[in-house]
Amino acid sequence: MCFPLALFPVSQPPLISIFGSLIHRSSPIWPVVSHIFPACSTGGKADLRSGEMASSGQLREGKSQDRFDYLQALVTEFQDTDSQEAKEQVLANLANFAYDPSNYQYLRQLQVIDLFLDMLTEDNERFVEFGIGGLCNLCLDKENKEYILQNNGAQAVLDCLSSPNEDIVLSAITTLIYLMTPLSRKEITAIPVVECMLRFSMSKNKRLSNLATLFLEDFCSPEAVEKAQNLQNHTALGIPLPKE
């Protein structure tokens, strides 16, 4: 069984999420990003509309302060710009950089987890897509996971299951799997959620049906599944199947 990767191309607009690549569960779960990222312009501010580029490898090889300054420049760009396209580009960058454990400390310090959580309630679908993708990449880390759960992150992610955007739903299910703990399991595998996963498991989209089936088989008790099956005439969280 496979998990989708939360990877976003950011070198050329329009920004389109990539969920076509899958990794096996026996492999390292976080994605390896090989895309090109906009570099900081002269003066230290991340100008996402410039033609200068830096690879993620170059960022990894930089000094800790350079890494922090670069990520801080991205956050500042998001806060300062009025351009929706530039904000989307920044979020895509941050979501990609969130895959790298070397960045976790700086992303926490810059409150990027809060930024991603805030994006989940935005009307802009791409904000939601990049926000849930960033959380998906971050929540493998124990400290990040605890922070997300302590800040009502599980419910925020559950709300994303109602999105008509298939990539958002895939990221949401994967994030819920990563957020599973003995304490969070009750909320994440509540009967309405199980019923929702049963409906997703019947989707004609194989990526969605496979991931929902994995959720049901690996994290839900047979009793919960049976109870949810008996409620199939009800609407699961008001959640329609994503558009295919």
Side-chain angles (χ1 to χ4, degrees):
M1 196 63 68
C2 303
F3 289 103
L5 301 183
L7 300 182
F8 306 103
V10 295
S11 58
Q12 294 291 339
L15 307 177
I16 302 174
S17 175
I18 298 178
F19 278 90
S21 301
L22 299 175
I23 54 175
H24 295 288
R25 298 173 66 193
S26 59
S27 304
I29 297 178
W30 57 77
V32 178
V33 176
S34 59
H35 301 300
I36 296 175
F37 303 88
C40 295
S41 61
T42 304
K45 187 173 182 179
D47 184 356
L48 299 178
R49 287 150 291 188
S50 72
E52 302 176 33
M53 296 289 175
S55 70
S56 56
Q58 287 173 321
L59 183 64
R60 285 195 297 270
E61 293 168 4
K63 296 178 180 179
S64 296
Q65 187 60 43
D66 292 339
R67 182 191 297 265
F68 175 83
D69 289 345
Y70 181 81
L71 294 171
Q72 185 177 45
L74 287 174
V75 174
T76 300
E77 174 77 4
F78 182 86
Q79 295 170 336
D80 290 350
T81 184
D82 294 326
S83 167
Q84 292 290 295
E85 182 180 354
K87 285 181 180 290
E88 291 171 4
Q89 192 91 8
V90 169
L91 285 171
N93 272 279
L94 290 172
N96 277 339
F97 284 128
Y99 94 93
D100 188 346
S102 299
N103 294 326
Y104 289 166
Q105 173 187 348
Y106 309 116
L107 293 172
R108 287 193 294 266
Q109 190 173 346
L110 293 166
Q111 299 182 311
V112 173
I113 298 177
D114 295 284
L115 175 62
F116 287 152
L117 286 170
D118 288 343
M119 292 303 101
L120 301 189
T121 57
E122 288 288 330
D123 293 331
N124 185 319
E125 191 174 84
R126 288 187 177 178
F127 284 7
V128 179
E129 182 178 352
F130 299 142
I132 189 63
L135 291 173
C136 187
N137 283 339
L138 279 170
C139 65
L140 286 164
D141 175 78
K142 181 179 179 181
E143 187 172 348
N144 293 339
K145 179 188 298 187
E146 290 176 352
Y147 185 87
I148 293 167
L149 291 172
Q150 289 168 2
N151 286 273
N152 201 33
Q155 184 57 57
V157 175
L158 285 169
D159 291 342
C160 289
L161 295 177
S162 63
S163 173
N165 183 310
E166 174 189 296
D167 288 344
I168 291 174
V169 174
L170 286 167
S171 278
I173 297 174
T174 306
T175 303
L176 291 172
I177 290 172
Y178 294 160
L179 290 176
M180 199 81 67
T181 70
L183 292 177
S184 66
R185 180 180 293 268
K186 182 177 180 180
E187 178 181 13
I188 294 175
T189 61
I191 294 302
V193 181
V194 178
E195 187 182 356
C196 174
M197 293 300 168
L198 283 170
R199 295 178 63 245
F200 286 159
S201 71
M202 295 183 288
S203 170
K204 294 179 181 179
N205 184 296
K206 286 299 181 182
R207 292 179 297 165
L208 180 58
S209 62
N210 288 344
L211 194 58
T213 299
L214 180 148
F215 185 99
L216 292 167
E217 292 179 350
D218 286 12
F219 302 102
C220 302
S221 67
E223 294 78 14
V225 173
E226 181 179 1
K227 185 174 181 180
Q229 288 172 334
N230 292 332
L231 297 173
Q232 283 294 292
N233 291 331
H234 299 280
T235 300
L237 298 178
I239 298 172
L241 288 172
K243 296 177 181 179
E244 299 176 355

